[in-house]
Amino acid sequence: MTIHRSGTNKRLSKLVVHRGIAYLAGQVADDLNAPVDAQTKETLAKIDALLEEAGSDKTKILSAQIWLKSMQDAPKMNAVWEEWMPEGQAPARATVGAPLASERHLVEIKVTAAVD
């Protein structure tokens, strides 16, 4: 049994690949002064990079979990998501409002994807 881990520290791995499935840790933006749409774009770019490392891409995402500091930001986040996600490739997804790591974090996204 092979398990590939990447971006690993004592608390978590940013990416774990096992048996053809890529599990990503929740991703957040680095620019915490940015509004939710910009934080969402940065977060999705991080997801793209991790999926590429795993040998996957956004068309192979099986499920996504999204946490928003405020559900009032959902329309702005969804607009960025819908622009990023190719037509007909949307995964199973849940979005909830929740306290995040800091007051300046506005969105966190975690995905699971198939790997070729």
Side-chain angles (χ1 to χ4, degrees):
M1 169 175 54
T2 301
I3 299 174
H4 168 77
R5 299 177 197 277
S6 178
T8 302
N9 61 35
K10 289 185 178 189
R11 186 176 302 156
L12 59 84
S13 292
K14 289 183 181 181
L15 168 67
V16 175
V17 180
H18 177 62
R19 293 187 177 193
I21 304 291
Y23 303 90
L24 276 62
Q27 299 298 304
V28 296
D30 293 325
D31 183 359
L32 301 183
N33 293 316
V36 70
D37 53 343
Q39 284 194 27
T40 302
K41 284 180 186 177
E42 183 181 348
T43 300
L44 294 174
K46 287 181 171 186
I47 289 169
D48 279 332
L50 286 167
L51 290 173
E52 183 178 349
E53 179 183 339
S56 188
D57 62 58
K58 62 188 165 190
T59 67
K60 297 177 181 77
I61 296 175
L62 304 171
S63 67
Q65 297 171 318
I66 302 173
W67 296 271
L68 288 171
K69 177 182 174 184
S70 170
M71 286 305 292
Q72 291 179 348
D73 286 337
K76 290 179 182 177
M77 180 278 299
N78 280 328
V80 174
W81 176 275
E82 290 167 7
E83 182 179 310
W84 175 75
M85 182 57 61
E87 183 72 30
Q89 301 298 316
R93 194 187 102 167
T95 304
V96 298
L100 298 178
S102 78
E103 285 297 312
R104 296 171 42 209
H105 285 93
L106 304 179
V107 60
E108 181 171 349
I109 304 174
K110 177 185 185 309
V111 303
T112 302
V115 175
D116 288 334

PDB file of all heavy atoms in Angstrom, residues 27-50 80-81 84 104-105 107-109:
ATOM      1  N   GLN A  27      -7.979  24.638   2.090  1.00  0.00           N
ATOM      2  CA  GLN A  27      -7.091  25.662   1.550  1.00  0.00           C
ATOM      3  C   GLN A  27      -7.681  27.044   1.805  1.00  0.00           C
ATOM      4  O   GLN A  27      -8.904  27.227   1.698  1.00  0.00           O
ATOM      5  CB  GLN A  27      -6.881  25.457   0.049  1.00  0.00           C
ATOM      6  CG  GLN A  27      -6.252  24.120  -0.297  1.00  0.00           C
ATOM      7  CD  GLN A  27      -4.874  23.968   0.305  1.00  0.00           C
ATOM      8  OE1 GLN A  27      -3.991  24.791   0.089  1.00  0.00           O
ATOM      9  NE2 GLN A  27      -4.685  22.911   1.083  1.00  0.00           N
ATOM     10  N   VAL A  28      -6.814  27.976   2.139  1.00  0.00           N
ATOM     11  CA  VAL A  28      -7.217  29.361   2.384  1.00  0.00           C
ATOM     12  C   VAL A  28      -6.262  30.283   1.638  1.00  0.00           C
ATOM     13  O   VAL A  28      -5.162  29.897   1.265  1.00  0.00           O
ATOM     14  CB  VAL A  28      -7.225  29.711   3.888  1.00  0.00           C
ATOM     15  CG1 VAL A  28      -8.267  28.893   4.637  1.00  0.00           C
ATOM     16  CG2 VAL A  28      -5.850  29.514   4.510  1.00  0.00           C
ATOM     17  N   ALA A  29      -6.686  31.515   1.468  1.00  0.00           N
ATOM     18  CA  ALA A  29      -5.857  32.525   0.809  1.00  0.00           C
ATOM     19  C   ALA A  29      -4.749  32.993   1.734  1.00  0.00           C
ATOM     20  O   ALA A  29      -4.865  32.917   2.966  1.00  0.00           O
ATOM     21  CB  ALA A  29      -6.726  33.707   0.396  1.00  0.00           C
ATOM     22  N   ASP A  30      -3.674  33.502   1.155  1.00  0.00           N
ATOM     23  CA  ASP A  30      -2.608  34.143   1.923  1.00  0.00           C
ATOM     24  C   ASP A  30      -2.897  35.627   2.122  1.00  0.00           C
ATOM     25  O   ASP A  30      -2.532  36.197   3.139  1.00  0.00           O
ATOM     26  CB  ASP A  30      -1.266  33.975   1.218  1.00  0.00           C
ATOM     27  CG  ASP A  30      -0.808  32.533   1.191  1.00  0.00           C
ATOM     28  OD1 ASP A  30      -1.069  31.793   2.155  1.00  0.00           O
ATOM     29  OD2 ASP A  30      -0.197  32.126   0.181  1.00  0.00           O
ATOM     30  N   ASP A  31      -3.554  36.257   1.135  1.00  0.00           N
ATOM     31  CA  ASP A  31      -3.869  37.687   1.223  1.00  0.00           C
ATOM     32  C   ASP A  31      -5.171  37.861   1.997  1.00  0.00           C
ATOM     33  O   ASP A  31      -6.265  37.861   1.426  1.00  0.00           O
ATOM     34  CB  ASP A  31      -3.979  38.305  -0.171  1.00  0.00           C
ATOM     35  CG  ASP A  31      -4.243  39.804  -0.120  1.00  0.00           C
ATOM     36  OD1 ASP A  31      -4.367  40.364   0.993  1.00  0.00           O
ATOM     37  OD2 ASP A  31      -4.325  40.416  -1.199  1.00  0.00           O
ATOM     38  N   LEU A  32      -5.043  38.021   3.299  1.00  0.00           N
ATOM     39  CA  LEU A  32      -6.220  38.114   4.159  1.00  0.00           C
ATOM     40  C   LEU A  32      -6.804  39.515   4.219  1.00  0.00           C
ATOM     41  O   LEU A  32      -7.794  39.746   4.911  1.00  0.00           O
ATOM     42  CB  LEU A  32      -5.877  37.600   5.556  1.00  0.00           C
ATOM     43  CG  LEU A  32      -5.388  36.143   5.595  1.00  0.00           C
ATOM     44  CD1 LEU A  32      -5.137  35.703   7.022  1.00  0.00           C
ATOM     45  CD2 LEU A  32      -6.371  35.222   4.898  1.00  0.00           C
ATOM     46  N   ASN A  33      -6.209  40.446   3.486  1.00  0.00           N
ATOM     47  CA  ASN A  33      -6.794  41.784   3.360  1.00  0.00           C
ATOM     48  C   ASN A  33      -7.732  41.856   2.161  1.00  0.00           C
ATOM     49  O   ASN A  33      -8.428  42.848   1.983  1.00  0.00           O
ATOM     50  CB  ASN A  33      -5.697  42.844   3.229  1.00  0.00           C
ATOM     51  CG  ASN A  33      -4.894  42.955   4.507  1.00  0.00           C
ATOM     52  OD1 ASN A  33      -5.448  42.971   5.597  1.00  0.00           O
ATOM     53  ND2 ASN A  33      -3.583  43.001   4.379  1.00  0.00           N
ATOM     54  N   ALA A  34      -7.739  40.811   1.339  1.00  0.00           N
ATOM     55  CA  ALA A  34      -8.545  40.785   0.119  1.00  0.00           C
ATOM     56  C   ALA A  34     -10.005  40.467   0.441  1.00  0.00           C
ATOM     57  O   ALA A  34     -10.302  39.799   1.433  1.00  0.00           O
ATOM     58  CB  ALA A  34      -7.980  39.736  -0.840  1.00  0.00           C
ATOM     59  N   PRO A  35     -10.927  40.911  -0.427  1.00  0.00           N
ATOM     60  CA  PRO A  35     -12.336  40.543  -0.264  1.00  0.00           C
ATOM     61  C   PRO A  35     -12.567  39.076  -0.612  1.00  0.00           C
ATOM     62  O   PRO A  35     -11.673  38.406  -1.144  1.00  0.00           O
ATOM     63  CB  PRO A  35     -13.056  41.477  -1.239  1.00  0.00           C
ATOM     64  CG  PRO A  35     -12.032  41.801  -2.278  1.00  0.00           C
ATOM     65  CD  PRO A  35     -10.705  41.787  -1.570  1.00  0.00           C
ATOM     66  N   VAL A  36     -13.754  38.588  -0.351  1.00  0.00           N
ATOM     67  CA  VAL A  36     -14.040  37.156  -0.497  1.00  0.00           C
ATOM     68  C   VAL A  36     -13.831  36.665  -1.922  1.00  0.00           C
ATOM     69  O   VAL A  36     -13.343  35.542  -2.121  1.00  0.00           O
ATOM     70  CB  VAL A  36     -15.451  36.793   0.015  1.00  0.00           C
ATOM     71  CG1 VAL A  36     -16.538  37.341  -0.898  1.00  0.00           C
ATOM     72  CG2 VAL A  36     -15.587  35.293   0.212  1.00  0.00           C
ATOM     73  N   ASP A  37     -14.145  37.457  -2.931  1.00  0.00           N
ATOM     74  CA  ASP A  37     -13.951  36.960  -4.293  1.00  0.00           C
ATOM     75  C   ASP A  37     -12.472  36.759  -4.606  1.00  0.00           C
ATOM     76  O   ASP A  37     -12.083  35.754  -5.202  1.00  0.00           O
ATOM     77  CB  ASP A  37     -14.637  37.853  -5.329  1.00  0.00           C
ATOM     78  CG  ASP A  37     -14.266  39.316  -5.223  1.00  0.00           C
ATOM     79  OD1 ASP A  37     -13.736  39.766  -4.193  1.00  0.00           O
ATOM     80  OD2 ASP A  37     -14.513  40.033  -6.214  1.00  0.00           O
ATOM     81  N   ALA A  38     -11.624  37.677  -4.168  1.00  0.00           N
ATOM     82  CA  ALA A  38     -10.178  37.526  -4.384  1.00  0.00           C
ATOM     83  C   ALA A  38      -9.614  36.383  -3.543  1.00  0.00           C
ATOM     84  O   ALA A  38      -8.764  35.626  -4.018  1.00  0.00           O
ATOM     85  CB  ALA A  38      -9.454  38.828  -4.069  1.00  0.00           C
ATOM     86  N   GLN A  39     -10.078  36.235  -2.302  1.00  0.00           N
ATOM     87  CA  GLN A  39      -9.623  35.103  -1.485  1.00  0.00           C
ATOM     88  C   GLN A  39     -10.047  33.788  -2.121  1.00  0.00           C
ATOM     89  O   GLN A  39      -9.293  32.811  -2.113  1.00  0.00           O
ATOM     90  CB  GLN A  39     -10.166  35.213  -0.052  1.00  0.00           C
ATOM     91  CG  GLN A  39      -9.451  36.240   0.791  1.00  0.00           C
ATOM     92  CD  GLN A  39      -9.745  36.105   2.271  1.00  0.00           C
ATOM     93  OE1 GLN A  39     -10.063  35.020   2.775  1.00  0.00           O
ATOM     94  NE2 GLN A  39      -9.615  37.209   3.001  1.00  0.00           N
ATOM     95  N   THR A  40     -11.239  33.739  -2.698  1.00  0.00           N
ATOM     96  CA  THR A  40     -11.708  32.521  -3.358  1.00  0.00           C
ATOM     97  C   THR A  40     -10.827  32.191  -4.565  1.00  0.00           C
ATOM     98  O   THR A  40     -10.420  31.037  -4.741  1.00  0.00           O
ATOM     99  CB  THR A  40     -13.179  32.661  -3.786  1.00  0.00           C
ATOM    100  OG1 THR A  40     -13.979  32.940  -2.624  1.00  0.00           O
ATOM    101  CG2 THR A  40     -13.684  31.389  -4.451  1.00  0.00           C
ATOM    102  N   LYS A  41     -10.510  33.195  -5.396  1.00  0.00           N
ATOM    103  CA  LYS A  41      -9.639  32.961  -6.561  1.00  0.00           C
ATOM    104  C   LYS A  41      -8.281  32.421  -6.137  1.00  0.00           C
ATOM    105  O   LYS A  41      -7.753  31.489  -6.739  1.00  0.00           O
ATOM    106  CB  LYS A  41      -9.463  34.260  -7.350  1.00  0.00           C
ATOM    107  CG  LYS A  41     -10.657  34.634  -8.169  1.00  0.00           C
ATOM    108  CD  LYS A  41     -10.425  35.934  -8.917  1.00  0.00           C
ATOM    109  CE  LYS A  41     -11.696  36.364  -9.623  1.00  0.00           C
ATOM    110  NZ  LYS A  41     -11.537  37.652 -10.315  1.00  0.00           N
ATOM    111  N   GLU A  42      -7.696  33.017  -5.095  1.00  0.00           N
ATOM    112  CA  GLU A  42      -6.386  32.554  -4.625  1.00  0.00           C
ATOM    113  C   GLU A  42      -6.473  31.137  -4.088  1.00  0.00           C
ATOM    114  O   GLU A  42      -5.599  30.302  -4.343  1.00  0.00           O
ATOM    115  CB  GLU A  42      -5.845  33.506  -3.554  1.00  0.00           C
ATOM    116  CG  GLU A  42      -4.465  33.112  -3.090  1.00  0.00           C
ATOM    117  CD  GLU A  42      -3.893  34.005  -2.003  1.00  0.00           C
ATOM    118  OE1 GLU A  42      -4.455  35.090  -1.723  1.00  0.00           O
ATOM    119  OE2 GLU A  42      -2.877  33.597  -1.418  1.00  0.00           O
ATOM    120  N   THR A  43      -7.530  30.847  -3.360  1.00  0.00           N
ATOM    121  CA  THR A  43      -7.727  29.508  -2.796  1.00  0.00           C
ATOM    122  C   THR A  43      -7.877  28.479  -3.915  1.00  0.00           C
ATOM    123  O   THR A  43      -7.277  27.393  -3.864  1.00  0.00           O
ATOM    124  CB  THR A  43      -8.947  29.498  -1.859  1.00  0.00           C
ATOM    125  OG1 THR A  43      -8.723  30.436  -0.803  1.00  0.00           O
ATOM    126  CG2 THR A  43      -9.204  28.125  -1.288  1.00  0.00           C
ATOM    127  N   LEU A  44      -8.649  28.790  -4.931  1.00  0.00           N
ATOM    128  CA  LEU A  44      -8.825  27.864  -6.050  1.00  0.00           C
ATOM    129  C   LEU A  44      -7.529  27.661  -6.822  1.00  0.00           C
ATOM    130  O   LEU A  44      -7.269  26.556  -7.316  1.00  0.00           O
ATOM    131  CB  LEU A  44      -9.950  28.354  -6.960  1.00  0.00           C
ATOM    132  CG  LEU A  44     -11.347  28.333  -6.314  1.00  0.00           C
ATOM    133  CD1 LEU A  44     -12.367  28.986  -7.243  1.00  0.00           C
ATOM    134  CD2 LEU A  44     -11.765  26.935  -5.917  1.00  0.00           C
ATOM    135  N   ALA A  45      -6.692  28.685  -6.922  1.00  0.00           N
ATOM    136  CA  ALA A  45      -5.383  28.527  -7.566  1.00  0.00           C
ATOM    137  C   ALA A  45      -4.512  27.554  -6.772  1.00  0.00           C
ATOM    138  O   ALA A  45      -3.787  26.735  -7.371  1.00  0.00           O
ATOM    139  CB  ALA A  45      -4.691  29.879  -7.702  1.00  0.00           C
ATOM    140  N   LYS A  46      -4.578  27.620  -5.455  1.00  0.00           N
ATOM    141  CA  LYS A  46      -3.832  26.658  -4.626  1.00  0.00           C
ATOM    142  C   LYS A  46      -4.351  25.245  -4.856  1.00  0.00           C
ATOM    143  O   LYS A  46      -3.576  24.283  -4.930  1.00  0.00           O
ATOM    144  CB  LYS A  46      -3.953  27.023  -3.141  1.00  0.00           C
ATOM    145  CG  LYS A  46      -3.162  28.238  -2.733  1.00  0.00           C
ATOM    146  CD  LYS A  46      -3.340  28.463  -1.247  1.00  0.00           C
ATOM    147  CE  LYS A  46      -2.420  29.532  -0.714  1.00  0.00           C
ATOM    148  NZ  LYS A  46      -2.508  29.634   0.751  1.00  0.00           N
ATOM    149  N   ILE A  47      -5.665  25.104  -4.974  1.00  0.00           N
ATOM    150  CA  ILE A  47      -6.265  23.794  -5.234  1.00  0.00           C
ATOM    151  C   ILE A  47      -5.802  23.268  -6.592  1.00  0.00           C
ATOM    152  O   ILE A  47      -5.422  22.099  -6.718  1.00  0.00           O
ATOM    153  CB  ILE A  47      -7.798  23.864  -5.119  1.00  0.00           C
ATOM    154  CG1 ILE A  47      -8.187  24.038  -3.646  1.00  0.00           C
ATOM    155  CG2 ILE A  47      -8.466  22.641  -5.736  1.00  0.00           C
ATOM    156  CD1 ILE A  47      -9.639  24.374  -3.406  1.00  0.00           C
ATOM    157  N   ASP A  48      -5.802  24.132  -7.606  1.00  0.00           N
ATOM    158  CA  ASP A  48      -5.307  23.723  -8.930  1.00  0.00           C
ATOM    159  C   ASP A  48      -3.883  23.177  -8.834  1.00  0.00           C
ATOM    160  O   ASP A  48      -3.564  22.139  -9.425  1.00  0.00           O
ATOM    161  CB  ASP A  48      -5.322  24.909  -9.901  1.00  0.00           C
ATOM    162  CG  ASP A  48      -6.690  25.185 -10.505  1.00  0.00           C
ATOM    163  OD1 ASP A  48      -7.500  24.246 -10.633  1.00  0.00           O
ATOM    164  OD2 ASP A  48      -6.932  26.352 -10.867  1.00  0.00           O
ATOM    165  N   ALA A  49      -3.020  23.878  -8.105  1.00  0.00           N
ATOM    166  CA  ALA A  49      -1.614  23.455  -7.992  1.00  0.00           C
ATOM    167  C   ALA A  49      -1.492  22.115  -7.278  1.00  0.00           C
ATOM    168  O   ALA A  49      -0.713  21.248  -7.700  1.00  0.00           O
ATOM    169  CB  ALA A  49      -0.808  24.530  -7.262  1.00  0.00           C
ATOM    170  N   LEU A  50      -2.232  21.913  -6.214  1.00  0.00           N
ATOM    171  CA  LEU A  50      -2.174  20.647  -5.487  1.00  0.00           C
ATOM    172  C   LEU A  50      -2.738  19.505  -6.330  1.00  0.00           C
ATOM    173  O   LEU A  50      -2.198  18.391  -6.326  1.00  0.00           O
ATOM    174  CB  LEU A  50      -2.909  20.752  -4.149  1.00  0.00           C
ATOM    175  CG  LEU A  50      -2.188  21.557  -3.078  1.00  0.00           C
ATOM    176  CD1 LEU A  50      -3.120  21.864  -1.911  1.00  0.00           C
ATOM    177  CD2 LEU A  50      -0.938  20.835  -2.598  1.00  0.00           C
ATOM    178  N   VAL A  80     -17.237  33.242  -8.450  1.00  0.00           N
ATOM    179  CA  VAL A  80     -15.850  32.845  -8.743  1.00  0.00           C
ATOM    180  C   VAL A  80     -15.784  31.345  -8.997  1.00  0.00           C
ATOM    181  O   VAL A  80     -15.144  30.882  -9.944  1.00  0.00           O
ATOM    182  CB  VAL A  80     -14.901  33.269  -7.599  1.00  0.00           C
ATOM    183  CG1 VAL A  80     -13.494  32.736  -7.825  1.00  0.00           C
ATOM    184  CG2 VAL A  80     -14.893  34.779  -7.444  1.00  0.00           C
ATOM    185  N   TRP A  81     -16.444  30.558  -8.147  1.00  0.00           N
ATOM    186  CA  TRP A  81     -16.469  29.097  -8.301  1.00  0.00           C
ATOM    187  C   TRP A  81     -17.015  28.721  -9.678  1.00  0.00           C
ATOM    188  O   TRP A  81     -16.437  27.890 -10.387  1.00  0.00           O
ATOM    189  CB  TRP A  81     -17.323  28.471  -7.194  1.00  0.00           C
ATOM    190  CG  TRP A  81     -17.484  26.989  -7.333  1.00  0.00           C
ATOM    191  CD1 TRP A  81     -18.425  26.335  -8.089  1.00  0.00           C
ATOM    192  CD2 TRP A  81     -16.689  25.971  -6.740  1.00  0.00           C
ATOM    193  NE1 TRP A  81     -18.266  24.974  -7.988  1.00  0.00           N
ATOM    194  CE2 TRP A  81     -17.203  24.728  -7.156  1.00  0.00           C
ATOM    195  CE3 TRP A  81     -15.599  25.989  -5.884  1.00  0.00           C
ATOM    196  CZ2 TRP A  81     -16.659  23.522  -6.745  1.00  0.00           C
ATOM    197  CZ3 TRP A  81     -15.073  24.770  -5.476  1.00  0.00           C
ATOM    198  CH2 TRP A  81     -15.590  23.566  -5.898  1.00  0.00           C
ATOM    199  N   TRP A  84     -14.663  29.278 -12.447  1.00  0.00           N
ATOM    200  CA  TRP A  84     -13.519  28.367 -12.373  1.00  0.00           C
ATOM    201  C   TRP A  84     -13.880  26.951 -12.797  1.00  0.00           C
ATOM    202  O   TRP A  84     -13.099  26.260 -13.459  1.00  0.00           O
ATOM    203  CB  TRP A  84     -12.991  28.385 -10.930  1.00  0.00           C
ATOM    204  CG  TRP A  84     -11.894  27.444 -10.603  1.00  0.00           C
ATOM    205  CD1 TRP A  84     -10.576  27.555 -10.951  1.00  0.00           C
ATOM    206  CD2 TRP A  84     -11.988  26.251  -9.812  1.00  0.00           C
ATOM    207  NE1 TRP A  84      -9.853  26.511 -10.433  1.00  0.00           N
ATOM    208  CE2 TRP A  84     -10.696  25.695  -9.720  1.00  0.00           C
ATOM    209  CE3 TRP A  84     -13.039  25.612  -9.161  1.00  0.00           C
ATOM    210  CZ2 TRP A  84     -10.431  24.524  -9.011  1.00  0.00           C
ATOM    211  CZ3 TRP A  84     -12.783  24.444  -8.459  1.00  0.00           C
ATOM    212  CH2 TRP A  84     -11.487  23.909  -8.389  1.00  0.00           C
ATOM    213  N   ARG A 104      -9.976  37.453   9.603  1.00  0.00           N
ATOM    214  CA  ARG A 104      -9.658  37.895   8.245  1.00  0.00           C
ATOM    215  C   ARG A 104      -9.807  36.791   7.204  1.00  0.00           C
ATOM    216  O   ARG A 104      -9.845  37.079   6.010  1.00  0.00           O
ATOM    217  CB  ARG A 104      -8.260  38.509   8.221  1.00  0.00           C
ATOM    218  CG  ARG A 104      -8.216  39.774   9.075  1.00  0.00           C
ATOM    219  CD  ARG A 104      -6.837  40.347   9.286  1.00  0.00           C
ATOM    220  NE  ARG A 104      -6.013  40.336   8.080  1.00  0.00           N
ATOM    221  CZ  ARG A 104      -4.691  40.252   8.110  1.00  0.00           C
ATOM    222  NH1 ARG A 104      -4.032  40.185   9.259  1.00  0.00           N
ATOM    223  NH2 ARG A 104      -4.005  40.248   6.993  1.00  0.00           N
ATOM    224  N   HIS A 105      -9.879  35.537   7.647  1.00  0.00           N
ATOM    225  CA  HIS A 105     -10.161  34.441   6.708  1.00  0.00           C
ATOM    226  C   HIS A 105     -11.640  34.510   6.354  1.00  0.00           C
ATOM    227  O   HIS A 105     -12.496  34.496   7.252  1.00  0.00           O
ATOM    228  CB  HIS A 105      -9.859  33.080   7.343  1.00  0.00           C
ATOM    229  CG  HIS A 105      -8.416  32.767   7.439  1.00  0.00           C
ATOM    230  ND1 HIS A 105      -7.672  33.042   8.557  1.00  0.00           N
ATOM    231  CD2 HIS A 105      -7.571  32.187   6.558  1.00  0.00           C
ATOM    232  CE1 HIS A 105      -6.426  32.643   8.371  1.00  0.00           C
ATOM    233  NE2 HIS A 105      -6.336  32.128   7.156  1.00  0.00           N
ATOM    234  N   VAL A 107     -12.957  32.525   3.481  1.00  0.00           N
ATOM    235  CA  VAL A 107     -13.371  31.294   2.818  1.00  0.00           C
ATOM    236  C   VAL A 107     -12.293  30.232   2.991  1.00  0.00           C
ATOM    237  O   VAL A 107     -11.096  30.533   2.990  1.00  0.00           O
ATOM    238  CB  VAL A 107     -13.671  31.542   1.313  1.00  0.00           C
ATOM    239  CG1 VAL A 107     -12.462  32.062   0.577  1.00  0.00           C
ATOM    240  CG2 VAL A 107     -14.258  30.314   0.641  1.00  0.00           C
ATOM    241  N   GLU A 108     -12.731  28.999   3.147  1.00  0.00           N
ATOM    242  CA  GLU A 108     -11.837  27.833   3.163  1.00  0.00           C
ATOM    243  C   GLU A 108     -12.495  26.759   2.312  1.00  0.00           C
ATOM    244  O   GLU A 108     -13.711  26.553   2.401  1.00  0.00           O
ATOM    245  CB  GLU A 108     -11.615  27.323   4.584  1.00  0.00           C
ATOM    246  CG  GLU A 108     -10.680  26.135   4.656  1.00  0.00           C
ATOM    247  CD  GLU A 108     -10.283  25.741   6.076  1.00  0.00           C
ATOM    248  OE1 GLU A 108     -10.560  26.499   7.018  1.00  0.00           O
ATOM    249  OE2 GLU A 108      -9.680  24.654   6.222  1.00  0.00           O
ATOM    250  N   ILE A 109     -11.693  26.085   1.492  1.00  0.00           N
ATOM    251  CA  ILE A 109     -12.225  25.067   0.582  1.00  0.00           C
ATOM    252  C   ILE A 109     -11.380  23.801   0.679  1.00  0.00           C
ATOM    253  O   ILE A 109     -10.161  23.853   0.630  1.00  0.00           O
ATOM    254  CB  ILE A 109     -12.243  25.563  -0.878  1.00  0.00           C
ATOM    255  CG1 ILE A 109     -13.045  26.865  -0.989  1.00  0.00           C
ATOM    256  CG2 ILE A 109     -12.813  24.484  -1.809  1.00  0.00           C
ATOM    257  CD1 ILE A 109     -13.004  27.505  -2.363  1.00  0.00           C
TER     258      ILE A 109
END
